[in-house]
Amino acid sequence: LSYFGVKVAMIEAGFFNTEVTNSEKISGAIQEAWDQASPEAKEIYGEKFLESSDLCVPCRAMWLYLAALVGLYYLLRWYRERQVVSNLRDKYVFITGCDSGFGNLLARQLDLRGLRVLAACLTEKGAEQLRDQMSDRLETVILDVTKTESISAATQWVKERVGDRGLWGLVNNAGISIPFAPNEWLTKQDFMKILDVNLLGLIEVTLSLLPLVRKARGRVVNISSIMGRVSLLSGGYCISKYGVEAFSDSLRRELCYFGVKVAMIEPGFFNTEVTNSEKISRAIQEAWDQASPEAKEVYGEKFLESIKKSVGKLKSRCCNNLYLVTNCVEHALTACHPRTRYSCGWDAKLLYLPMSYMPTLIVDAIIYWISERPTKAL
């Protein structure tokens, strides 16, 4: 009928309460069919089968099959993720930001696991403390990810150590969270300070070491944030983490042709230097001091004090178990089949990750109601 402009459609309904599914009529029809069935058929099926005929069997079977498929999926996923890469003791891993926090703990954790850790620290003090705590396999280098010459020197240092084996793992962990304040209080330089470390520095380090990672068919693991999926904070931090997510996605699709895997770690709130409430409070005060008179009038002193008070409570809301993050990084480096994304912490899994899938209208409403209101808010 398509030749004549006629369209034909099919409606494929499930089980609905209509005359078609009237259980009394269907039971009567089954009994009539049994009464007229041949003696041979009755003998084969039996009275017990007649009495047990249940119209809900197809529905139950459907849910049973669905549950079986879900169970099988998670069983296969569990099995795949337990497979570990061989010869880990011969593999080199380069980690940025090892002075404290996730980077420091990860360097120590991977060293105990037997990998050859190349730990990049911003300060000589941080590098010395790390060397004193760990085995001779762990080596350190000074790296400022905002300076091209520092990245070039560190890249040459890594080349000399890995040789023809290449670099198995690159963990981009270095990051900062301040300056932090409402956007209107900040300057372009405030945004650039965070972007230079969290995004542009990460990109330059990755591009410099990429040939070595490709040679080893290794891994790139970027420490992003759950704030790279839902923007709850002002300033450059969320912007930088959204950039890390986009860069990681494009990099993963490009490098899959060379056997290189790219993973993102998306932590919630953890007690590290990034969430240091004293430093964040000072940054907010500095941003307020440099804000325009108009911005100060619109937001008001009361708003300033309320957000500083909220920041003061940040430590109690942060998770102290940094292993929730470093274990994910270790899995991304050592598993044969690492995940693309790892959400770390219950706040990330149960609150922020679901929020990232919600309609924008709902997320905006949630943030509107829980956030502090400026003095001259409408």
Side-chain angles (χ1 to χ4, degrees), residues 329-343:
V329 180
E330 181 180 343
H331 185 271
L333 290 168
T334 61
C336 292
H337 306 285
R339 300 181 189 178
T340 301
R341 284 176 165 84
Y342 295 81
S343 294

Side-chain angles (χ1 to χ4, degrees), residues 6-47:
V6 177
K7 293 180 170 61
V8 179
M10 287 173 282
I11 310 300
E12 300 173 336
F15 284 84
F16 288 83
N17 273 323
T18 66
E19 284 299 303
V20 172
T21 55
N22 187 304
S23 57
E24 292 181 5
K25 291 184 178 181
I26 295 174
S27 293
I30 292 172
Q31 185 61 55
E32 290 174 6
W34 172 264
D35 294 339
Q36 71 182 12
S38 66
E40 183 182 359
K42 290 182 177 180
E43 183 182 354
I44 292 172
Y45 283 91
E47 291 277 353

Side-chain angles (χ1 to χ4, degrees), residues 263-306:
M264 283 170 276
I265 311 298
E266 300 170 339
F269 283 85
F270 286 82
N271 269 323
T272 66
E273 283 300 301
V274 169
T275 55
N276 186 305
S277 57
E278 293 182 2
K279 291 184 177 180
I280 295 174
S281 291
R282 284 199 300 269
I284 292 172
Q285 185 63 54
E286 290 171 6
W288 170 261
D289 293 339
Q290 73 181 10
S292 67
E294 183 182 359
K296 289 182 178 180
E297 182 183 353
V298 170
Y299 283 90
E301 292 274 356
K302 187 177 179 181
F303 177 82
L304 170 65
E305 294 305 319
S306 63

Side-chain angles (χ1 to χ4, degrees), residues 313-348:
K313 299 176 182 177
L314 183 61
K315 186 173 183 179
S316 62
R317 298 171 183 169
C318 292
C319 179
N320 293 312
N321 186 7
L322 304 190
Y323 282 104
L324 294 176
V325 177
T326 57
N327 286 344
C328 289
V329 180
E330 181 180 343
H331 185 271
L333 290 168
T334 61
C336 292
H337 306 285
R339 300 181 189 178
T340 301
R341 284 176 165 84
Y342 295 81
S343 294
C344 317
W346 289 114
D347 57 342

Side-chain angles (χ1 to χ4, degrees), residues 358-369:
M358 290 180 185
T360 303
L361 182 67
I362 295 177
V363 177
D364 287 352
I366 294 172
I367 295 173
Y368 178 84
W369 288 110

Side-chain angles (χ1 to χ4, degrees), residues 136-309:
D136 294 337
R137 289 191 309 274
L138 185 146
E139 299 181 71
T140 61
V141 65
I142 303 302
L143 172 64
D144 183 343
V145 298
T146 66
K147 296 179 180 178
T148 297
E149 59 272 18
S150 180
I151 294 173
S152 299
T155 300
Q156 184 60 39
W157 179 84
V158 172
K159 284 180 181 177
E160 293 171 358
R161 277 146 185 81
V162 303
D164 295 332
R165 284 174 289 191
L167 180 64
W168 171 254
L170 166 60
V171 181
N172 285 305
N173 168 72
I176 59 175
S177 60
I178 54 176
F180 166 74
N183 292 319
E184 197 175 357
W185 301 3
L186 301 172
T187 65
K188 178 183 176 182
Q189 291 306 313
D190 292 329
F191 285 91
M192 287 304 301
K193 184 177 179 180
I194 292 181
L195 292 173
D196 277 343
V197 177
N198 294 5
L199 180 58
L200 301 178
L202 178 149
I203 291 173
E204 188 171 3
V205 169
T206 302
L207 296 180
S208 298
L209 292 170
L210 209 51
L212 296 177
V213 178
R214 184 166 49 233
K215 183 180 290 186
R217 297 181 181 178
R219 310 285 169 82
V220 177
V221 182
N222 292 328
I223 307 298
S224 179
S225 169
I226 202 65
M227 296 296 110
R229 298 187 65 136
V230 54
S231 185
L232 299 180
L233 305 174
S234 303
Y237 186 77
C238 290
I239 298 171
S240 69
K241 294 305 181 180
Y242 267 79
V244 170
E245 296 272 330
F247 176 67
S248 300
D249 280 336
S250 63
L251 193 69
R252 183 182 67 254
R253 289 157 189 156
E254 291 173 4
L255 297 182
C256 66
Y257 300 106
F258 308 106
V260 175
K261 293 180 170 63
V262 179
M264 283 170 276
I265 311 298
E266 300 170 339
F269 283 85
F270 286 82
N271 269 323
T272 66
E273 283 300 301
V274 169
T275 55
N276 186 305
S277 57
E278 293 182 2
K279 291 184 177 180
I280 295 174
S281 291
R282 284 199 300 269
I284 292 172
Q285 185 63 54
E286 290 171 6
W288 170 261
D289 293 339
Q290 73 181 10
S292 67
E294 183 182 359
K296 289 182 178 180
E297 182 183 353
V298 170
Y299 283 90
E301 292 274 356
K302 187 177 179 181
F303 177 82
L304 170 65
E305 294 305 319
S306 63
I307 60 172
K308 287 172 69 174
K309 185 178 179 181

